[in-house]
């Protein structure tokens, strides 16, 4: 070093962009966004291609969107969701700009809530030479006249551009006919995924001519089974996924589709197809044994026969949804849970499910049982602690998402079992489990003693923090009274000194729902809801929590994107003022019926929560209508504001 007069001042050299990219690769997407604001070099590193997979830009049609589209021209590839397009000049100019700036780079395009004309779309599609996914859901304005792509020159232009299209979504089109369907799909010869959910399809008879579909020419009104079968036959070498949800497909029609020669489906969605029967599922399983994903939720005629057929015939199945199939019972679940490839199972609102057969199916060798990563038992009211206790032990190595919403017989014992065994959990939903108390979240022993065991005369295994002396499937008797003793300060001191199976053990949590667990108080929320990676949290309808819980959550959970506190009367301006400085990433905030929230809180949100997109302050009687102007002008990303019955007004605003 030289003396002070002649000392050379050396600037710290900037890190190479490759090093910054490597550092950013260890961060979650939300953390990378924060890091990209540090300086220009960090921003450039955050734009590296390894971080740009499946990035979708969503925006409405507006004058400012033109500049956004031009800015996206520097990207090597991107996906767009453009809403509120119409037939006026602004929408036409925007679509033209998309074609000019992104024509060779656009991989996916969706146009929800739009009413564009054929002319507008035909100026764009021929330029989209790299398009892989096209979403035309609900765009009846394109198909109402029946003249879409009627000119051969237009079909040639579109066919040249869309020859590589892999996914086509035509859901909820009321006017999709054989003619327009054939014209459009004739331009997409290599489809892998096709969605016709909610479309009016003539599966059996043409209602206008009263004759079988197979006997009529191309219909001017409805897509027919005959033409759908024609497409499946023509594109059988590439098509692997089909969505016919909410259609009137019949058992015989499904069998016709399943029997298309050389068609090998991997995914099939039949949600809400109420005419399907066990016979149709058995035929489907017989002719499409390679199915990996199957959604037959809300098919209310199905029984356990379908479950048995699936378990016996679909040996490559990974995802199965049986939600709202009310006639399904425990029968067949043991065989289903013995399908080793199964990773996701949705049994929500299957009212007869209680769990023993699921446990039975999972008790075999690890090579011959499902390794579930996602399990939904929402509204399965017969599920009790015994089933949850056993399932948590059997699925402890794999389960990442568990939904027990409205399982009203689940108690603190289940919560402690979850915290003890399911350390891989990312999503936990316990909403409306009204028997859950602070003791369960804290994983603590209540001071009262267990009653003697009825069978042995000895005391059953203690409700300890580690379940250390439990039998494998025998949970301890819950020692709590109907109205559990409140946690005292002395209890909390004991909690801080003893490691155990509290909710803190779930250190990977990104989503937690405790809504309507009305016995929870600040005692547990302030102590265990401390998850730095938590993105979504619902504490709605917890009448006993106060500002202390809100302040604690904000301090310990700074990655929150969505926070629900509706119907929490103990939440006030003071709590929001303490919390907001730590909630810079918050995008969705729900405060309806929080009457201690006033206009002061809106000023706090404007100051600290610049990224808010959704705000629900309906029925907050101490908020005035005039303050809403501030929200609209100061929060640039705000899309939806719900403020019905504020200040005595009856208003609902969607920006």
């Amino acid at each position: 070093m030289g003396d002070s007069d002649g000392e050379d001042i050396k600037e710290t050299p900037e890190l190479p962009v490759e090093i910054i990219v490597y550092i950013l690769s260890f961060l979650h997407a939300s953390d990378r966004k924060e890091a990209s604001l540090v300086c220009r070099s960090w921003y450039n590193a955050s734009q590296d291609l390894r971080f740009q997979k499946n990035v979708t830009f969503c925006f409405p049609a507006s004058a400012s969107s033109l500049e956004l589209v031009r800015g996206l021209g520097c990207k090597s590839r991107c996906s767009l969701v453009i809403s509120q397009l119409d037939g006026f000049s602004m929408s036409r100019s925007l679509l033209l700009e998309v074609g000019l700036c992104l024509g060779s780079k656009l991989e996916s395009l969706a146009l929800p809530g739009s009413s564009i004309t054929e002319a507008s779309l035909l100026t764009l599609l021929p330029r989209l030479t790299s398009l892989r996914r096209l979403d035309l859901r609900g765009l009846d304005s394109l198909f109402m006249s029946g003249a879409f792509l009627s000119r051969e020159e237009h079909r040639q232009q579109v066919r040249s551009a869309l020859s590589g299209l892999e996914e086509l979504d035509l859901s909820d089109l009321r006017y999709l006919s054989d003619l327009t369907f054939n014209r459009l799909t004739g331009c997409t010869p290599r489809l892998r995924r096709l969605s016709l959910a909610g479309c009016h399809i003539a599966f059996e008879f043409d209602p206008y001519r009263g004759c079988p579909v197979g006997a009529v020419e191309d219909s001017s009104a409805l897509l027919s089974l005959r033409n759908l079968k024609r497409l499946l036959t023509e594109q059988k070498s590439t098509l692997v996924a089909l969505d016919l949800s909410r259609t009137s497909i019949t058992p015989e029609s499904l069998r016709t589709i399943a029997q298309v020669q050389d068609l090998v489906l991997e995914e099939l969605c039949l949600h809400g197809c109420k005419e399907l029967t066990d016979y149709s599922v058995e035929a489907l399983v017989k002719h499409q044994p390679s199915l990996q994903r199957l959604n037959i939720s809300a098919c209310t005629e199905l029984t356990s026969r379908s479950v048995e057929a699936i378990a016996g015939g679909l040996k490559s199945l990974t995802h199965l949804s049986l939600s709202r199939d009310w006639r399904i019972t425990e029968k067949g679940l043991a065989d289903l849970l013995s399908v080793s490839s199964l990773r996701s199972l949705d049994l929500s609102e299957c009212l007869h499910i209680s769990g023993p057969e699921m446990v039975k199916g999972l008790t075999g060798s690890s090579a011959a049982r499902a390794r579930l990563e996602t399990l939904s038992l929402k509204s399965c009211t017969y599920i009790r602690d015994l089933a949850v206790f056993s399932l948590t032990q059997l699925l402890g190595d794999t389960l990442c998402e568990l939904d027990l919403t409205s399982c009203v017989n689940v108690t603190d014992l289940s919560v402690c079992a979850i915290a003890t065994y399911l350390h891989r959990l990312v999503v936990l939903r316990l909403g409306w489990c009204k028997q859950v108390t602070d003791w369960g979240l804290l994983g603590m022993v209540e001071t009262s003693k267990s009653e003697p065991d009825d069978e042995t005369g000895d005391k059953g295994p203690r409700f300890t923090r580690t379940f250390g002396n439990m039998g494998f499937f025998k949970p301890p008797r819950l020692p709590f009274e109907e109205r559990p003793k409140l946690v005292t300060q002395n209890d909390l001191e004991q909690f801080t000194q003893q490691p155990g199976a509290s909710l803190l053990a779930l250190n990977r949590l990104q989503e937690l729902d405790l809504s309507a667990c009305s016995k929870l108080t600040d005692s547990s929320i302030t102590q265990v809801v401390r998850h730095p990676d938590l993105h979504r949290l619902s504490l709605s309808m917890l009448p006993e929590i106060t500002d202390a819980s809100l302040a604690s959550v904000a301090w310990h959970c700074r990655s929150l994107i969505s926070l629900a506190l509706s119907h929490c009367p103990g939440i006030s301006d003071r709590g929001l003022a303490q919390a907001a400085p730590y909630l810079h990433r918050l995008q969705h905030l729900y405060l309806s019926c929080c009457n201690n929230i006033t206009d002061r809180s809106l000023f706090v949100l404007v100051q600290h929560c610049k990224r808010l997109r959704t705000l629900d302050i309906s029925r907050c009687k101490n908020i005035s209508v005039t303050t809403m102007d501030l929200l609209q002008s100061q929060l640039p990303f705000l899309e939806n504001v719900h403020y019905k019955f504020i200040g005595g007004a009856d208003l609902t605003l969607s920006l």
Side-chain angles (χ1 to χ4, degrees):
M1 297 178 59
D3 56 349
S4 58
D5 292 333
E7 182 178 359
D8 293 332
I9 299 175
K10 297 182 179 180
E11 294 184 1
T12 303
E14 288 191 2
L15 289 174
V17 67
E18 294 82 6
I19 299 297
I20 303 176
V21 169
Y22 179 74
I23 294 172
L24 295 181
S25 67
F26 291 95
L27 303 181
H28 292 295
S30 56
D31 294 319
R32 284 200 300 272
K33 289 181 182 178
E34 292 291 324
S36 69
L37 301 178
V38 172
C39 60
R40 172 63 64 179
S41 59
W42 283 73
Y43 173 79
N44 291 336
S46 72
Q47 302 301 303
D48 189 87
L49 288 180
R50 75 182 67 185
F51 306 135
Q52 301 298 311
K53 296 177 181 178
N54 301 319
V55 175
T56 300
F57 298 88
C58 307
F59 52 88
S62 64
S64 59
S65 299
L66 289 170
E67 193 62 34
L68 171 62
V69 169
R70 296 187 187 107
L72 294 176
C74 62
K75 295 191 173 295
S76 60
R77 60 179 183 270
C78 65
S79 299
L80 299 183
V81 177
I82 311 175
S83 58
Q84 303 174 26
L85 286 164
D86 53 35
F88 294 101
S89 58
M90 173 53 64
S91 294
R92 292 197 299 270
S93 299
L94 180 59
L95 291 179
L96 182 61
E97 200 70 26
V98 169
L100 290 173
C101 298
L102 304 174
S104 61
K105 304 173 182 181
L106 196 61
E107 293 187 331
S108 174
L109 176 65
L111 307 172
S114 300
S115 56
I116 61 175
T117 63
E118 178 184 7
S120 297
L121 189 60
L122 288 180
T123 61
L124 173 63
L125 288 182
R127 297 179 180 270
L128 305 184
T129 54
S130 298
L131 202 64
R132 294 295 176 264
R133 184 179 187 275
L134 178 61
D135 185 344
L136 301 177
R137 280 179 291 176
L139 298 188
D140 285 322
S141 58
L142 281 176
F143 300 95
M144 191 178 299
S145 68
F148 183 60
L149 289 175
S150 57
R151 297 175 59 178
E152 177 62 28
E153 59 182 292
H154 290 160
R155 292 199 295 274
Q156 289 180 355
Q157 293 172 350
V158 172
R159 186 183 300 116
S160 176
L162 301 187
S163 60
L165 194 74
E166 297 179 351
E167 301 183 34
L168 179 61
D169 194 334
L170 301 176
S171 302
D172 300 310
L173 294 176
R174 291 174 292 175
Y175 305 105
L176 185 62
S177 68
D178 277 343
L179 282 173
T180 51
F181 181 74
N182 288 344
R183 292 169 186 161
L184 180 56
T185 55
C187 299
T188 58
R190 296 183 180 87
L191 282 182
R192 291 181 54 80
R193 310 173 68 89
L194 173 65
S195 177
L196 296 169
C199 290
H200 295 183
I201 305 175
F203 282 108
E204 294 294 346
F205 292 90
D206 184 278
Y208 299 94
R209 303 190 185 187
C211 56
V213 170
V216 298
E217 298 301 323
D218 287 347
S219 167
S220 60
L222 292 176
L223 172 63
S224 67
L225 173 63
R226 179 173 59 89
N227 262 321
L228 177 56
K229 182 180 178 182
R230 174 194 299 172
L231 173 73
L232 299 179
T233 302
E234 292 175 351
Q235 303 199 24
K236 61 190 176 185
S237 62
T238 58
L239 198 68
V240 295
L242 182 63
D243 189 346
L244 295 172
S245 299
R246 296 179 284 110
T247 64
S248 57
I249 188 169
T250 62
E252 199 56 49
S253 300
L254 181 58
R255 182 174 181 174
T256 298
I257 290 172
Q259 286 181 310
V260 171
Q261 189 173 5
D262 297 327
L263 177 68
V264 181
L265 290 178
E266 296 176 2
E267 301 181 29
L268 180 61
C269 188
L270 298 167
H271 168 78
C273 296
K274 298 183 182 300
E275 296 187 36
L276 295 184
T277 64
D278 294 327
Y279 157 79
S280 53
V281 174
E282 289 168 344
L284 172 66
V285 168
K286 178 181 178 181
H287 296 289
Q288 294 294 330
S290 297
L291 277 172
Q292 298 176 18
R293 293 173 176 258
L294 178 61
N295 185 339
I296 47 175
S297 57
C299 298
T300 52
E301 294 300 311
L302 301 183
T303 72
S304 293
R305 272 183 57 192
S306 294
V307 178
E308 293 175 309
I310 291 168
L314 300 183
K315 297 305 182 182
S316 300
L317 190 66
T318 60
H319 294 71
L320 176 63
S321 177
L322 300 170
S323 174
R324 296 172 57 192
D325 292 346
W326 300 314
R327 300 178 64 185
I328 286 178
T329 66
E330 290 277 302
K331 188 178 181 181
L333 287 182
D335 292 334
L336 181 63
L337 270 298
S338 298
V339 178
S340 60
S341 60
L342 193 62
R343 296 293 179 268
S344 175
L345 179 60
D346 186 352
L347 293 170
S348 57
E349 299 186 56
C350 292
L351 306 180
H352 302 289
I353 302 300
S354 58
E357 287 297 306
M358 298 175 62
V359 173
K360 181 180 177 181
L362 290 168
T363 53
S365 65
S366 58
R369 70 183 189 193
R371 298 180 59 81
L372 290 182
E373 298 170 359
T374 301
L375 175 62
S376 177
L377 297 170
K378 177 182 178 181
S379 297
C380 295
T381 54
Y382 287 147
I383 292 290
R384 297 180 180 272
D385 290 330
L386 178 61
V388 176
F389 182 76
S390 301
L391 289 171
T392 55
Q393 293 185 76
L394 291 164
L395 297 172
D397 293 335
T398 59
L399 201 64
C400 298
E401 180 174 335
L402 177 62
D403 191 344
L404 294 175
T405 304
S406 295
C407 291
V408 295
N409 290 307
V410 162
T411 73
D412 290 323
L413 178 58
S414 291
V415 180
C416 289
I418 290 168
T420 301
Y421 298 113
L422 300 182
H423 289 169
R424 296 174 59 89
L425 270 191
V426 175
V427 176
L428 175 61
R429 302 189 183 101
L430 295 170
W432 294 90
C433 295
K434 290 180 174 289
Q435 296 191 54
V436 172
T437 73
D438 291 331
W439 297 99
L441 268 60
L442 292 167
M444 295 180 66
V445 184
E446 216 262 73
T447 55
S448 62
K449 295 182 179 180
S450 303
E451 295 296 325
D453 187 276
D454 293 335
E455 296 178 5
T456 65
D458 298 325
K459 290 184 177 180
R462 293 279 298 168
F463 182 13
T464 64
R465 302 174 65 86
T466 61
F467 295 95
N469 60 344
M470 291 182 179
F472 189 60
F473 293 118
K474 185 178 181 181
R477 183 182 302 280
L478 185 66
F480 305 147
E481 305 168 1
E482 280 296 313
R483 299 173 63 85
K485 181 176 74 68
L486 293 178
V487 178
T488 66
Q489 183 61 37
N490 183 58
D491 293 326
L492 288 180
E493 291 176 2
Q494 179 187 2
F495 165 73
T496 59
Q497 295 171 5
Q498 296 181 0
S502 75
L503 215 64
L504 283 173
L506 305 180
N507 54 23
R508 300 187 184 186
L509 272 189
Q510 295 183 19
E511 178 177 342
L512 177 63
D513 185 355
L514 297 172
S515 55
C517 297
S518 54
K519 295 180 181 179
L520 297 179
T521 71
D522 292 337
S523 297
S524 61
I525 300 300
T526 57
Q527 296 296 321
V528 300
V529 183
R530 300 183 173 190
H531 301 86
D533 293 328
L534 198 66
H535 293 162
R536 300 181 180 276
L537 174 64
S538 178
L539 301 176
S540 294
M541 293 175 280
L542 301 188
E544 301 299 325
I545 67 171
T546 68
D547 292 332
S549 287
L550 176 54
S552 175
V553 164
W555 173 259
H556 293 102
C557 308
R558 303 192 186 190
S559 296
L560 279 177
I561 295 173
S562 176
L563 177 60
L565 295 165
S566 299
H567 295 269
C568 292
I571 300 298
S572 69
D573 290 337
R574 181 181 178 183
L576 205 57
Q578 292 174 324
Y582 307 107
L583 298 176
H584 295 298
R585 302 180 187 181
L586 199 63
Q587 297 180 19
H588 309 282
L589 179 61
Y590 304 91
L591 295 168
S592 63
C593 297
C594 294
N595 286 327
N596 289 319
I597 295 292
T598 71
D599 290 346
R600 292 173 57 193
S601 290
L602 300 187
F603 288 95
V604 170
L605 293 175
V606 167
Q607 182 180 359
H608 297 288
C609 303
K610 298 290 188 180
R611 299 184 185 181
L612 268 186
R613 296 172 55 191
T614 303
L615 178 63
D616 186 356
I617 50 173
S618 53
R619 300 181 184 272
C620 292
K621 297 180 180 179
N622 293 312
I623 291 181
S624 61
V625 177
T626 56
T627 56
M628 303 312 299
D629 294 336
L630 175 68
L631 287 173
Q632 298 177 43
S633 61
Q634 298 297 320
L635 295 177
F637 299 105
L638 198 61
E639 298 174 348
N640 298 296
V641 183
H642 305 284
Y643 59 106
K644 190 174 185 179
F645 296 127
I646 65 169
D650 182 5
L651 297 172
T652 301
L653 175 64
S654 294
L655 298 177

